Amino acid sequence: MVALPPRDGNGQLLSGLTNGEASSATPFMRPILNDIHHNPGAEIVRYARGRENMIALSMGEGDAPTPDFIIRSLQDALGRGETFYSPPLGRPELRQALSAYYHRHYGHDIPMERFFVTPSGTSAVHLALSAVLEKDDEVIAVVPMWKNLLGAMRLQQADIKPVYLDLSADGQDWVLDVERIFATVTPNTRAIVINSPNNPTGWIMTTDQMRAVMDFARARGIWVISDEVYSRMVYGVSCAPSFLDVAQPDDRLLVINSFSKNWAMTGWRLGWLIGPKEAEQKIYDLVLYDSLCPNTFTQFGAIAALEQGEDFIAEQKIRYEHNMQIVQGYFDDIGGIIAPRTRMGFYSFFKVDGHDDCMNLARNLVDQAGLVLVPGCAFGENVKGFMRMCFAVSEPRLRLALDRFAAAIKR
């Protein structure tokens, strides 16, 4: 095919351009992409790629495969020929299973029409933000926060107003003063975005704090978008507080969740949104122009996870808490590490005394220890000196990684 020279809107040749050249005044793609592409965590993963004998504790997933009973449900669905399009908001059986799941574990009677199944938790994030945000809307985001959440807000060209979690004076916990959220609100504020339980810090918002934020937002017509992906990963209890605990059915609340973490289904790419009944048709319309529908046969595995997966969750939580204690013991022996004890999930978020440049430390750990961790700057400007370690691996692998880490730090 012969390339044609560029022309203007009237079909005239653009002056000064030769065949195959583009006008510098015309962006190659959306300019906003230049603002969101940098992901320090992904940069470190690329830096380590191709090297031998690396231990990667960077991804937000464990090394346990999806349980057999979930896989069998998917296989059975494939055997029955469940390979056609799904309803855009998910199969009714799965939406009803989600409704029953929330009744069992949260005590809420939420009709299935308020559950919207999505092709991943990340898709749930994008759908939620796309549904409520327009260009230049203000969004209050409690940070640190998962990079994809921040990037999704950037894609909507929203004006992000960060409210920072603070580390308490003794370095043992993360705290949030909700009054700082209220003080940040302006007439242009469209949404408040909160991730609790929090990735990466392990901070958990209290029910009283949620009630205060929900009451404040309700009075001003502000949306609350709550990422509750880690809500079942809290040690010692069934689930973390949810904004659903303090919300009314018609509140401007969108809750994001995923099958990935609870049931070791990261590669399945399946999540869900919970919203007011009035949002159902709008989300339906958005899905038609986004993904059309979630994958069909994986939804049958998801039903099995919801109905039969409690033993697996309990076993994984015991494992995570045990590994957390191992990590904390190493850190105590090494000394000079600020490592607030997490009460949930499988991350340690910590800072090494004297190493304020987390990107430099992350590269050094790759070079000197064969260890891949995520630099804190991937989660926000206020935690640049921190590192995130995912400890959802076997104990021998974790101890080997920690031995390498200790040797590199002492060196």
Side-chain angles (χ1 to χ4, degrees), residues 89 91-103 107-117 244 247-250 272-280:
L89 297 183
R91 295 186 65 91
E93 307 99 302
L94 178 52
R95 298 176 76 186
Q96 187 58 52
L98 282 164
S99 176
Y101 172 82
Y102 272 80
H103 178 75
H108 298 314
D109 291 317
I110 304 173
M112 60 173 282
E113 291 80 11
R114 292 180 56 195
F115 291 90
F116 320 131
V117 182
L244 294 164
Q248 299 171 7
D250 59 349
W272 71 87
L273 265 177
I274 308 172
K277 177 65 176 67
E278 291 74 16
E280 182 181 22

Side-chain angles (χ1 to χ4, degrees), residues 133-150:
L133 294 182
E134 295 190 275
K135 184 176 182 294
D136 297 327
D137 277 346
E138 287 184 357
V139 181
I140 296 173
V142 176
V143 290
M145 180 178 283
W146 181 43
K147 177 69 175 179
N148 284 21
L149 269 169
L150 296 169

Side-chain angles (χ1 to χ4, degrees), residues 81-386:
E82 301 283 3
T83 59
F84 299 94
Y85 288 128
S86 161
L89 297 183
R91 295 186 65 91
E93 307 99 302
L94 178 52
R95 298 176 76 186
Q96 187 58 52
L98 282 164
S99 176
Y101 172 82
Y102 272 80
H103 178 75
R104 287 195 304 273
H105 297 289
Y106 294 86
H108 298 314
D109 291 317
I110 304 173
M112 60 173 282
E113 291 80 11
R114 292 180 56 195
F115 291 90
F116 320 131
V117 182
T118 62
S120 76
T122 302
S123 293
V125 169
H126 284 271
L127 286 170
L129 296 172
S130 297
V132 304
L133 294 182
E134 295 190 275
K135 184 176 182 294
D136 297 327
D137 277 346
E138 287 184 357
V139 181
I140 296 173
V142 176
V143 290
M145 180 178 283
W146 181 43
K147 177 69 175 179
N148 284 21
L149 269 169
L150 296 169
M153 286 181 260
R154 293 282 185 210
L155 276 176
Q156 298 300 322
Q157 296 183 276
D159 184 9
I160 303 174
K161 304 288 187 182
V163 173
Y164 301 115
L165 288 174
D166 289 329
L167 191 63
S168 60
D170 62 2
Q172 291 304 306
D173 208 354
W174 297 88
V175 294
L176 172 68
D177 179 359
V178 295
E179 294 296 330
R180 289 162 51 204
I181 294 177
F182 305 154
T184 307
V185 167
T186 76
N188 296 322
T189 299
R190 179 66 169 162
I192 299 170
V193 180
I194 297 174
N195 167 217
S196 173
N198 180 259
N199 171 20
T201 65
W203 165 78
I204 301 172
M205 196 173 195
T206 68
T207 301
D208 286 343
Q209 288 176 322
M210 289 180 170
R211 181 177 292 106
V213 169
M214 197 71 248
D215 289 348
F216 181 91
R218 183 187 303 117
R220 291 157 181 80
I222 296 172
W223 281 89
V224 174
I225 300 176
S226 179
D227 178 347
E228 300 182 6
V229 165
Y230 294 89
S231 61
R232 297 296 313 282
M233 291 287 100
V234 183
Y235 308 149
V237 297
S238 174
C239 50
S242 168
F243 269 95
L244 294 164
D245 300 336
V246 299
Q248 299 171 7
D250 59 349
D251 274 339
R252 296 189 177 195
L253 170 67
L254 291 169
V255 175
I256 296 160
N257 218 314
S258 170
F259 290 91
S260 291
K261 314 298 181 180
N262 294 337
W263 300 283
M265 296 172 67
T266 52
W268 291 57
R269 313 314 300 136
L270 201 62
W272 71 87
L273 265 177
I274 308 172
K277 177 65 176 67
E278 291 74 16
E280 182 181 22
Q281 186 60 51
K282 300 300 182 184
I283 299 296
Y284 181 101
D285 293 340
L286 266 177
V287 169
L288 290 180
Y289 293 103
D290 179 61
S291 59
L292 185 64
C293 64
N295 182 300
T296 296
F297 45 87
T298 57
Q299 294 183 60
F300 291 92
I303 293 170
L306 293 168
E307 294 179 348
Q308 305 171 44
E310 287 309 300
D311 288 345
F312 180 79
I313 291 177
E315 291 166 3
Q316 293 305 301
K317 286 165 68 169
I318 291 171
R319 181 185 182 210
Y320 299 154
E321 188 170 11
H322 174 70
N323 283 1
M324 181 271 291
Q325 299 289 354
I326 293 173
V327 172
Q328 202 68 43
Y330 267 81
F331 287 171
D332 291 344
D333 289 342
I334 294 169
I337 297 180
I338 298 173
R341 293 179 183 270
T342 184
R343 293 178 289 142
M344 56 71 63
F346 41 62
Y347 303 122
S348 178
F349 198 58
F350 62 92
K351 184 174 183 179
V352 182
D353 189 35
H355 293 270
D356 294 330
D357 186 338
C358 58
M359 288 296 290
N360 184 59
L361 177 57
R363 292 191 189 96
N364 286 341
L365 288 173
V366 170
D367 294 337
Q368 300 173 17
L371 183 60
V372 188
L373 304 182
V374 180
C377 54
F379 302 94
E381 293 295 314
N382 63 317
V383 285
K384 280 186 174 181
F386 281 78

